[in-house]
PDB file of all heavy atoms in Angstrom:
ATOM      1  N   GLU A   1     -15.100  14.882 -11.931  1.00 98.00           N
ATOM      2  CA  GLU A   1     -13.719  15.323 -11.849  1.00 98.00           C
ATOM      3  C   GLU A   1     -12.893  14.399 -10.958  1.00 98.00           C
ATOM      4  O   GLU A   1     -13.427  13.660 -10.117  1.00 98.00           O
ATOM      5  CB  GLU A   1     -13.653  16.755 -11.303  1.00 98.00           C
ATOM      6  CG  GLU A   1     -14.302  17.785 -12.216  1.00 98.00           C
ATOM      7  CD  GLU A   1     -14.135  19.193 -11.692  1.00 98.00           C
ATOM      8  OE1 GLU A   1     -13.623  19.356 -10.555  1.00 98.00           O
ATOM      9  OE2 GLU A   1     -14.521  20.139 -12.415  1.00 98.00           O
ATOM     10  N   SER A   2     -11.586  14.455 -11.123  1.00 98.00           N
ATOM     11  CA  SER A   2     -10.680  13.654 -10.300  1.00 98.00           C
ATOM     12  C   SER A   2     -10.689  14.154  -8.858  1.00 98.00           C
ATOM     13  O   SER A   2     -10.662  15.362  -8.602  1.00 98.00           O
ATOM     14  CB  SER A   2      -9.253  13.740 -10.840  1.00 98.00           C
ATOM     15  OG  SER A   2      -8.364  13.021 -10.014  1.00 98.00           O
ATOM     16  N   THR A   3     -10.721  13.198  -7.928  1.00 98.00           N
ATOM     17  CA  THR A   3     -10.653  13.544  -6.498  1.00 98.00           C
ATOM     18  C   THR A   3      -9.461  12.877  -5.814  1.00 98.00           C
ATOM     19  O   THR A   3      -9.365  12.896  -4.582  1.00 98.00           O
ATOM     20  CB  THR A   3     -11.948  13.134  -5.775  1.00 98.00           C
ATOM     21  OG1 THR A   3     -12.133  11.705  -5.893  1.00 98.00           O
ATOM     22  CG2 THR A   3     -13.153  13.852  -6.347  1.00 98.00           C
ATOM     23  N   THR A   4      -8.551  12.296  -6.602  1.00 98.00           N
ATOM     24  CA  THR A   4      -7.467  11.511  -6.004  1.00 98.00           C
ATOM     25  C   THR A   4      -6.485  12.351  -5.206  1.00 98.00           C
ATOM     26  O   THR A   4      -5.758  11.814  -4.354  1.00 98.00           O
ATOM     27  CB  THR A   4      -6.698  10.723  -7.079  1.00 98.00           C
ATOM     28  OG1 THR A   4      -6.206  11.636  -8.084  1.00 98.00           O
ATOM     29  CG2 THR A   4      -7.594   9.684  -7.726  1.00 98.00           C
ATOM     30  N   ALA A   5      -6.437  13.647  -5.452  1.00 98.00           N
ATOM     31  CA  ALA A   5      -5.518  14.498  -4.689  1.00 98.00           C
ATOM     32  C   ALA A   5      -5.998  14.700  -3.248  1.00 98.00           C
ATOM     33  O   ALA A   5      -5.198  15.070  -2.379  1.00 98.00           O
ATOM     34  CB  ALA A   5      -5.364  15.852  -5.370  1.00 98.00           C
ATOM     35  N   ASP A   6      -7.274  14.430  -3.009  1.00 98.00           N
ATOM     36  CA  ASP A   6      -7.848  14.678  -1.686  1.00 98.00           C
ATOM     37  C   ASP A   6      -8.279  13.406  -0.960  1.00 98.00           C
ATOM     38  O   ASP A   6      -8.542  13.455   0.242  1.00 98.00           O
ATOM     39  CB  ASP A   6      -9.068  15.602  -1.822  1.00 98.00           C
ATOM     40  CG  ASP A   6      -8.714  16.918  -2.473  1.00 98.00           C
ATOM     41  OD1 ASP A   6      -7.733  17.549  -2.046  1.00 98.00           O
ATOM     42  OD2 ASP A   6      -9.405  17.304  -3.442  1.00 98.00           O
ATOM     43  N   GLU A   7      -8.367  12.303  -1.675  1.00 97.00           N
ATOM     44  CA  GLU A   7      -8.837  11.046  -1.089  1.00 97.00           C
ATOM     45  C   GLU A   7      -7.629  10.222  -0.623  1.00 97.00           C
ATOM     46  O   GLU A   7      -6.813   9.793  -1.426  1.00 97.00           O
ATOM     47  CB  GLU A   7      -9.639  10.241  -2.122  1.00 97.00           C
ATOM     48  CG  GLU A   7     -10.893  10.940  -2.612  1.00 97.00           C
ATOM     49  CD  GLU A   7     -12.086  10.635  -1.721  1.00 97.00           C
ATOM     50  OE1 GLU A   7     -11.935   9.856  -0.759  1.00 97.00           O
ATOM     51  OE2 GLU A   7     -13.167  11.180  -2.003  1.00 97.00           O
ATOM     52  N   ARG A   8      -7.548   9.998   0.669  1.00 98.00           N
ATOM     53  CA  ARG A   8      -6.416   9.251   1.223  1.00 98.00           C
ATOM     54  C   ARG A   8      -6.452   7.796   0.752  1.00 98.00           C
ATOM     55  O   ARG A   8      -7.516   7.175   0.686  1.00 98.00           O
ATOM     56  CB  ARG A   8      -6.465   9.313   2.754  1.00 98.00           C
ATOM     57  CG  ARG A   8      -5.163   8.935   3.430  1.00 98.00           C
ATOM     58  CD  ARG A   8      -5.189   9.404   4.879  1.00 98.00           C
ATOM     59  NE  ARG A   8      -3.988   9.036   5.594  1.00 98.00           N
ATOM     60  CZ  ARG A   8      -2.844   9.713   5.543  1.00 98.00           C
ATOM     61  NH1 ARG A   8      -2.770  10.785   4.793  1.00 98.00           N
ATOM     62  NH2 ARG A   8      -1.798   9.332   6.240  1.00 98.00           N
ATOM     63  N   LEU A   9      -5.292   7.251   0.423  1.00 98.00           N
ATOM     64  CA  LEU A   9      -5.211   5.850   0.027  1.00 98.00           C
ATOM     65  C   LEU A   9      -5.534   4.937   1.209  1.00 98.00           C
ATOM     66  O   LEU A   9      -5.298   5.305   2.370  1.00 98.00           O
ATOM     67  CB  LEU A   9      -3.804   5.543  -0.499  1.00 98.00           C
ATOM     68  CG  LEU A   9      -3.501   6.082  -1.902  1.00 98.00           C
ATOM     69  CD1 LEU A   9      -1.996   6.145  -2.137  1.00 98.00           C
ATOM     70  CD2 LEU A   9      -4.173   5.227  -2.965  1.00 98.00           C
ATOM     71  N   PRO A  10      -6.051   3.737   0.952  1.00 98.00           N
ATOM     72  CA  PRO A  10      -6.462   2.854   2.045  1.00 98.00           C
ATOM     73  C   PRO A  10      -5.281   2.170   2.723  1.00 98.00           C
ATOM     74  O   PRO A  10      -4.234   1.941   2.107  1.00 98.00           O
ATOM     75  CB  PRO A  10      -7.346   1.814   1.331  1.00 98.00           C
ATOM     76  CG  PRO A  10      -6.789   1.740  -0.044  1.00 98.00           C
ATOM     77  CD  PRO A  10      -6.357   3.148  -0.368  1.00 98.00           C
ATOM     78  N   HIS A  11      -5.456   1.864   3.994  1.00 97.00           N
ATOM     79  CA  HIS A  11      -4.523   1.050   4.790  1.00 97.00           C
ATOM     80  C   HIS A  11      -3.169   1.718   5.037  1.00 97.00           C
ATOM     81  O   HIS A  11      -2.270   1.078   5.581  1.00 97.00           O
ATOM     82  CB  HIS A  11      -4.282  -0.320   4.134  1.00 97.00           C
ATOM     83  CG  HIS A  11      -5.525  -1.003   3.657  1.00 97.00           C
ATOM     84  ND1 HIS A  11      -6.605  -1.218   4.468  1.00 97.00           N
ATOM     85  CD2 HIS A  11      -5.854  -1.506   2.433  1.00 97.00           C
ATOM     86  CE1 HIS A  11      -7.556  -1.846   3.774  1.00 97.00           C
ATOM     87  NE2 HIS A  11      -7.133  -2.011   2.543  1.00 97.00           N
ATOM     88  N   VAL A  12      -3.007   2.980   4.664  1.00 97.00           N
ATOM     89  CA  VAL A  12      -1.669   3.571   4.701  1.00 97.00           C
ATOM     90  C   VAL A  12      -1.225   3.954   6.108  1.00 97.00           C
ATOM     91  O   VAL A  12      -0.072   4.351   6.306  1.00 97.00           O
ATOM     92  CB  VAL A  12      -1.552   4.788   3.753  1.00 97.00           C
ATOM     93  CG1 VAL A  12      -1.681   4.341   2.310  1.00 97.00           C
ATOM     94  CG2 VAL A  12      -2.578   5.867   4.083  1.00 97.00           C
ATOM     95  N   GLU A  13      -2.117   3.834   7.088  1.00 97.00           N
ATOM     96  CA  GLU A  13      -1.712   4.033   8.479  1.00 97.00           C
ATOM     97  C   GLU A  13      -1.444   2.702   9.173  1.00 97.00           C
ATOM     98  O   GLU A  13      -1.130   2.672  10.369  1.00 97.00           O
ATOM     99  CB  GLU A  13      -2.797   4.812   9.235  1.00 97.00           C
ATOM    100  CG  GLU A  13      -3.076   6.194   8.658  1.00 97.00           C
ATOM    101  CD  GLU A  13      -1.822   7.027   8.482  1.00 97.00           C
ATOM    102  OE1 GLU A  13      -0.929   6.975   9.371  1.00 97.00           O
ATOM    103  OE2 GLU A  13      -1.712   7.721   7.453  1.00 97.00           O
ATOM    104  N   ASP A  14      -1.552   1.610   8.419  1.00 97.00           N
ATOM    105  CA  ASP A  14      -1.370   0.270   8.979  1.00 97.00           C
ATOM    106  C   ASP A  14      -0.425  -0.499   8.063  1.00 97.00           C
ATOM    107  O   ASP A  14      -0.874  -1.230   7.173  1.00 97.00           O
ATOM    108  CB  ASP A  14      -2.726  -0.434   9.094  1.00 97.00           C
ATOM    109  CG  ASP A  14      -2.620  -1.807   9.747  1.00 97.00           C
ATOM    110  OD1 ASP A  14      -1.489  -2.274   9.986  1.00 97.00           O
ATOM    111  OD2 ASP A  14      -3.683  -2.418   9.992  1.00 97.00           O
ATOM    112  N   PRO A  15       0.890  -0.355   8.252  1.00 96.00           N
ATOM    113  CA  PRO A  15       1.847  -0.993   7.341  1.00 96.00           C
ATOM    114  C   PRO A  15       1.662  -2.497   7.196  1.00 96.00           C
ATOM    115  O   PRO A  15       1.839  -3.044   6.090  1.00 96.00           O
ATOM    116  CB  PRO A  15       3.207  -0.649   7.955  1.00 96.00           C
ATOM    117  CG  PRO A  15       2.972   0.620   8.708  1.00 96.00           C
ATOM    118  CD  PRO A  15       1.583   0.499   9.240  1.00 96.00           C
ATOM    119  N   GLU A  16       1.299  -3.180   8.267  1.00 96.00           N
ATOM    120  CA  GLU A  16       1.111  -4.633   8.169  1.00 96.00           C
ATOM    121  C   GLU A  16      -0.052  -4.974   7.242  1.00 96.00           C
ATOM    122  O   GLU A  16       0.048  -5.891   6.414  1.00 96.00           O
ATOM    123  CB  GLU A  16       0.887  -5.236   9.555  1.00 96.00           C
ATOM    124  CG  GLU A  16       2.136  -5.257  10.425  1.00 96.00           C
ATOM    125  CD  GLU A  16       1.913  -6.046  11.709  1.00 96.00           C
ATOM    126  OE1 GLU A  16       0.836  -6.678  11.843  1.00 96.00           O
ATOM    127  OE2 GLU A  16       2.808  -6.021  12.576  1.00 96.00           O
ATOM    128  N   ARG A  17      -1.148  -4.247   7.376  1.00 97.00           N
ATOM    129  CA  ARG A  17      -2.291  -4.480   6.486  1.00 97.00           C
ATOM    130  C   ARG A  17      -1.934  -4.101   5.055  1.00 97.00           C
ATOM    131  O   ARG A  17      -2.303  -4.800   4.104  1.00 97.00           O
ATOM    132  CB  ARG A  17      -3.482  -3.645   6.966  1.00 97.00           C
ATOM    133  CG  ARG A  17      -4.711  -3.750   6.070  1.00 97.00           C
ATOM    134  CD  ARG A  17      -5.381  -5.096   6.209  1.00 97.00           C
ATOM    135  NE  ARG A  17      -6.528  -5.218   5.324  1.00 97.00           N
ATOM    136  CZ  ARG A  17      -6.494  -5.731   4.093  1.00 97.00           C
ATOM    137  NH1 ARG A  17      -5.342  -6.193   3.598  1.00 97.00           N
ATOM    138  NH2 ARG A  17      -7.585  -5.789   3.358  1.00 97.00           N
ATOM    139  N   LEU A  18      -1.211  -3.029   4.904  1.00 97.00           N
ATOM    140  CA  LEU A  18      -0.786  -2.593   3.583  1.00 97.00           C
ATOM    141  C   LEU A  18       0.103  -3.641   2.926  1.00 97.00           C
ATOM    142  O   LEU A  18      -0.049  -3.965   1.737  1.00 97.00           O
ATOM    143  CB  LEU A  18      -0.044  -1.259   3.709  1.00 97.00           C
ATOM    144  CG  LEU A  18       0.284  -0.476   2.451  1.00 97.00           C
ATOM    145  CD1 LEU A  18      -0.955  -0.195   1.627  1.00 97.00           C
ATOM    146  CD2 LEU A  18       0.982   0.825   2.823  1.00 97.00           C
ATOM    147  N   ASP A  19       1.020  -4.211   3.693  1.00 97.00           N
ATOM    148  CA  ASP A  19       1.920  -5.217   3.139  1.00 97.00           C
ATOM    149  C   ASP A  19       1.184  -6.513   2.813  1.00 97.00           C
ATOM    150  O   ASP A  19       1.566  -7.245   1.895  1.00 97.00           O
ATOM    151  CB  ASP A  19       3.071  -5.480   4.104  1.00 97.00           C
ATOM    152  CG  ASP A  19       4.013  -4.281   4.206  1.00 97.00           C
ATOM    153  OD1 ASP A  19       3.846  -3.335   3.418  1.00 97.00           O
ATOM    154  OD2 ASP A  19       4.898  -4.289   5.081  1.00 97.00           O
ATOM    155  N   ALA A  20       0.099  -6.783   3.545  1.00 97.00           N
ATOM    156  CA  ALA A  20      -0.734  -7.936   3.201  1.00 97.00           C
ATOM    157  C   ALA A  20      -1.400  -7.725   1.838  1.00 97.00           C
ATOM    158  O   ALA A  20      -1.567  -8.672   1.057  1.00 97.00           O
ATOM    159  CB  ALA A  20      -1.786  -8.177   4.273  1.00 97.00           C
ATOM    160  N   VAL A  21      -1.762  -6.482   1.535  1.00 98.00           N
ATOM    161  CA  VAL A  21      -2.350  -6.161   0.235  1.00 98.00           C
ATOM    162  C   VAL A  21      -1.298  -6.320  -0.862  1.00 98.00           C
ATOM    163  O   VAL A  21      -1.601  -6.815  -1.960  1.00 98.00           O
ATOM    164  CB  VAL A  21      -2.934  -4.736   0.239  1.00 98.00           C
ATOM    165  CG1 VAL A  21      -3.421  -4.347  -1.147  1.00 98.00           C
ATOM    166  CG2 VAL A  21      -4.072  -4.631   1.235  1.00 98.00           C
ATOM    167  N   VAL A  22      -0.068  -5.916  -0.584  1.00 98.00           N
ATOM    168  CA  VAL A  22       1.024  -6.138  -1.546  1.00 98.00           C
ATOM    169  C   VAL A  22       1.115  -7.622  -1.890  1.00 98.00           C
ATOM    170  O   VAL A  22       1.185  -8.005  -3.066  1.00 98.00           O
ATOM    171  CB  VAL A  22       2.367  -5.635  -0.983  1.00 98.00           C
ATOM    172  CG1 VAL A  22       3.520  -6.041  -1.911  1.00 98.00           C
ATOM    173  CG2 VAL A  22       2.352  -4.116  -0.803  1.00 98.00           C
ATOM    174  N   ALA A  23       1.105  -8.465  -0.878  1.00 97.00           N
ATOM    175  CA  ALA A  23       1.191  -9.909  -1.109  1.00 97.00           C
ATOM    176  C   ALA A  23      -0.023 -10.419  -1.873  1.00 97.00           C
ATOM    177  O   ALA A  23       0.101 -11.278  -2.759  1.00 97.00           O
ATOM    178  CB  ALA A  23       1.324 -10.638   0.229  1.00 97.00           C
ATOM    179  N   GLU A  24      -1.184  -9.898  -1.550  1.00 97.00           N
ATOM    180  CA  GLU A  24      -2.412 -10.318  -2.225  1.00 97.00           C
ATOM    181  C   GLU A  24      -2.337 -10.069  -3.721  1.00 97.00           C
ATOM    182  O   GLU A  24      -2.807 -10.884  -4.528  1.00 97.00           O
ATOM    183  CB  GLU A  24      -3.590  -9.559  -1.617  1.00 97.00           C
ATOM    184  CG  GLU A  24      -4.928  -9.898  -2.231  1.00 97.00           C
ATOM    185  CD  GLU A  24      -6.049  -9.050  -1.646  1.00 97.00           C
ATOM    186  OE1 GLU A  24      -5.811  -8.309  -0.664  1.00 97.00           O
ATOM    187  OE2 GLU A  24      -7.177  -9.129  -2.182  1.00 97.00           O
ATOM    188  N   PHE A  25      -1.744  -8.948  -4.113  1.00 98.00           N
ATOM    189  CA  PHE A  25      -1.630  -8.593  -5.525  1.00 98.00           C
ATOM    190  C   PHE A  25      -0.307  -9.061  -6.139  1.00 98.00           C
ATOM    191  O   PHE A  25       0.026  -8.663  -7.252  1.00 98.00           O
ATOM    192  CB  PHE A  25      -1.762  -7.079  -5.714  1.00 98.00           C
ATOM    193  CG  PHE A  25      -3.161  -6.565  -5.549  1.00 98.00           C
ATOM    194  CD1 PHE A  25      -3.478  -5.701  -4.515  1.00 98.00           C
ATOM    195  CD2 PHE A  25      -4.161  -6.939  -6.429  1.00 98.00           C
ATOM    196  CE1 PHE A  25      -4.770  -5.209  -4.364  1.00 98.00           C
ATOM    197  CE2 PHE A  25      -5.456  -6.450  -6.292  1.00 98.00           C
ATOM    198  CZ  PHE A  25      -5.763  -5.585  -5.255  1.00 98.00           C
ATOM    199  N   ASP A  26       0.434  -9.908  -5.423  1.00 97.00           N
ATOM    200  CA  ASP A  26       1.734 -10.386  -5.886  1.00 97.00           C
ATOM    201  C   ASP A  26       2.595  -9.198  -6.317  1.00 97.00           C
ATOM    202  O   ASP A  26       3.197  -9.188  -7.380  1.00 97.00           O
ATOM    203  CB  ASP A  26       1.569 -11.382  -7.038  1.00 97.00           C
ATOM    204  CG  ASP A  26       2.865 -12.113  -7.373  1.00 97.00           C
ATOM    205  OD1 ASP A  26       3.764 -12.152  -6.510  1.00 97.00           O
ATOM    206  OD2 ASP A  26       2.977 -12.636  -8.504  1.00 97.00           O
ATOM    207  N   GLY A  27       2.629  -8.192  -5.427  1.00 97.00           N
ATOM    208  CA  GLY A  27       3.191  -6.913  -5.821  1.00 97.00           C
ATOM    209  C   GLY A  27       4.581  -6.599  -5.324  1.00 97.00           C
ATOM    210  O   GLY A  27       5.037  -5.463  -5.461  1.00 97.00           O
ATOM    211  N   GLN A  28       5.289  -7.552  -4.728  1.00 94.00           N
ATOM    212  CA  GLN A  28       6.597  -7.238  -4.171  1.00 94.00           C
ATOM    213  C   GLN A  28       7.634  -7.002  -5.264  1.00 94.00           C
ATOM    214  O   GLN A  28       7.846  -7.843  -6.123  1.00 94.00           O
ATOM    215  CB  GLN A  28       7.085  -8.375  -3.272  1.00 94.00           C
ATOM    216  CG  GLN A  28       8.444  -8.115  -2.645  1.00 94.00           C
ATOM    217  CD  GLN A  28       8.412  -6.910  -1.713  1.00 94.00           C
ATOM    218  OE1 GLN A  28       7.822  -6.973  -0.654  1.00 94.00           O
ATOM    219  NE2 GLN A  28       9.042  -5.814  -2.120  1.00 94.00           N
ATOM    220  N   GLY A  29       8.286  -5.851  -5.212  1.00 96.00           N
ATOM    221  CA  GLY A  29       9.372  -5.543  -6.133  1.00 96.00           C
ATOM    222  C   GLY A  29      10.673  -5.404  -5.382  1.00 96.00           C
ATOM    223  O   GLY A  29      10.691  -5.304  -4.149  1.00 96.00           O
ATOM    224  N   PRO A  30      11.800  -5.377  -6.093  1.00 97.00           N
ATOM    225  CA  PRO A  30      13.099  -5.320  -5.420  1.00 97.00           C
ATOM    226  C   PRO A  30      13.401  -3.993  -4.743  1.00 97.00           C
ATOM    227  O   PRO A  30      14.185  -3.948  -3.806  1.00 97.00           O
ATOM    228  CB  PRO A  30      14.096  -5.602  -6.548  1.00 97.00           C
ATOM    229  CG  PRO A  30      13.391  -5.191  -7.799  1.00 97.00           C
ATOM    230  CD  PRO A  30      11.943  -5.503  -7.551  1.00 97.00           C
ATOM    231  N   THR A  31      12.780  -2.898  -5.192  1.00 97.00           N
ATOM    232  CA  THR A  31      13.119  -1.587  -4.651  1.00 97.00           C
ATOM    233  C   THR A  31      12.973  -1.533  -3.139  1.00 97.00           C
ATOM    234  O   THR A  31      13.845  -1.033  -2.424  1.00 97.00           O
ATOM    235  CB  THR A  31      12.238  -0.489  -5.286  1.00 97.00           C
ATOM    236  OG1 THR A  31      12.454  -0.480  -6.699  1.00 97.00           O
ATOM    237  CG2 THR A  31      12.576   0.873  -4.710  1.00 97.00           C
ATOM    238  N   ASP A  32      11.859  -2.053  -2.633  1.00 97.00           N
ATOM    239  CA  ASP A  32      11.537  -1.927  -1.211  1.00 97.00           C
ATOM    240  C   ASP A  32      11.446  -3.285  -0.531  1.00 97.00           C
ATOM    241  O   ASP A  32      10.755  -3.456   0.472  1.00 97.00           O
ATOM    242  CB  ASP A  32      10.252  -1.139  -1.018  1.00 97.00           C
ATOM    243  CG  ASP A  32       9.132  -1.626  -1.918  1.00 97.00           C
ATOM    244  OD1 ASP A  32       9.158  -2.794  -2.357  1.00 97.00           O
ATOM    245  OD2 ASP A  32       8.204  -0.836  -2.193  1.00 97.00           O
ATOM    246  N   GLU A  33      12.168  -4.258  -1.052  1.00 95.00           N
ATOM    247  CA  GLU A  33      12.119  -5.622  -0.523  1.00 95.00           C
ATOM    248  C   GLU A  33      12.507  -5.692   0.946  1.00 95.00           C
ATOM    249  O   GLU A  33      12.036  -6.537   1.695  1.00 95.00           O
ATOM    250  CB  GLU A  33      13.044  -6.500  -1.365  1.00 95.00           C
ATOM    251  CG  GLU A  33      12.996  -7.981  -1.088  1.00 95.00           C
ATOM    252  CD  GLU A  33      13.902  -8.726  -2.040  1.00 95.00           C
ATOM    253  OE1 GLU A  33      13.727  -8.577  -3.263  1.00 95.00           O
ATOM    254  OE2 GLU A  33      14.788  -9.454  -1.560  1.00 95.00           O
ATOM    255  N   ASP A  34      13.384  -4.792   1.376  1.00 95.00           N
ATOM    256  CA  ASP A  34      13.843  -4.801   2.763  1.00 95.00           C
ATOM    257  C   ASP A  34      12.841  -4.163   3.719  1.00 95.00           C
ATOM    258  O   ASP A  34      12.938  -4.330   4.934  1.00 95.00           O
ATOM    259  CB  ASP A  34      15.180  -4.062   2.873  1.00 95.00           C
ATOM    260  CG  ASP A  34      15.093  -2.624   2.386  1.00 95.00           C
ATOM    261  OD1 ASP A  34      14.476  -2.404   1.323  1.00 95.00           O
ATOM    262  OD2 ASP A  34      15.638  -1.723   3.045  1.00 95.00           O
ATOM    263  N   ILE A  35      11.873  -3.413   3.179  1.00 96.00           N
ATOM    264  CA  ILE A  35      10.911  -2.677   3.994  1.00 96.00           C
ATOM    265  C   ILE A  35       9.564  -3.382   4.050  1.00 96.00           C
ATOM    266  O   ILE A  35       8.987  -3.567   5.111  1.00 96.00           O
ATOM    267  CB  ILE A  35      10.721  -1.239   3.437  1.00 96.00           C
ATOM    268  CG1 ILE A  35      12.050  -0.480   3.427  1.00 96.00           C
ATOM    269  CG2 ILE A  35       9.653  -0.505   4.223  1.00 96.00           C
ATOM    270  CD1 ILE A  35      12.641  -0.246   4.800  1.00 96.00           C
ATOM    271  N   VAL A  36       9.045  -3.761   2.895  1.00 96.00           N
ATOM    272  CA  VAL A  36       7.700  -4.312   2.806  1.00 96.00           C
ATOM    273  C   VAL A  36       7.664  -5.703   3.421  1.00 96.00           C
ATOM    274  O   VAL A  36       8.412  -6.598   3.042  1.00 96.00           O
ATOM    275  CB  VAL A  36       7.227  -4.360   1.339  1.00 96.00           C
ATOM    276  CG1 VAL A  36       5.872  -5.053   1.229  1.00 96.00           C
ATOM    277  CG2 VAL A  36       7.156  -2.947   0.768  1.00 96.00           C
ATOM    278  N   GLY A  37       6.803  -5.866   4.409  1.00 81.00           N
ATOM    279  CA  GLY A  37       6.693  -7.153   5.087  1.00 81.00           C
ATOM    280  C   GLY A  37       7.759  -7.407   6.137  1.00 81.00           C
ATOM    281  O   GLY A  37       7.733  -8.421   6.825  1.00 81.00           O
TER     282      GLY A  37
END
């Protein structure tokens, strides 16, 4: 069964690490360009 409702996403308490993952996946979009990184 799905457990995604209970499993916390990774790095979400560390914005800098999270934003490094965004860059790793070439994931920057315009919506949050002013926030991410």
Side-chain angles (χ1 to χ4, degrees):
E1 296 184 353
S2 177
T3 60
T4 56
D6 302 311
E7 298 272 358
R8 197 164 178 82
L9 285 161
H11 314 307
V12 294
E13 300 308 321
D14 183 353
E16 288 188 7
R17 177 72 182 93
L18 191 56
D19 291 352
V21 174
V22 172
E24 180 184 352
F25 286 115
D26 191 20
Q28 180 63 70
T31 300
D32 48 24
E33 188 177 304
D34 58 316
I35 301 296
V36 175

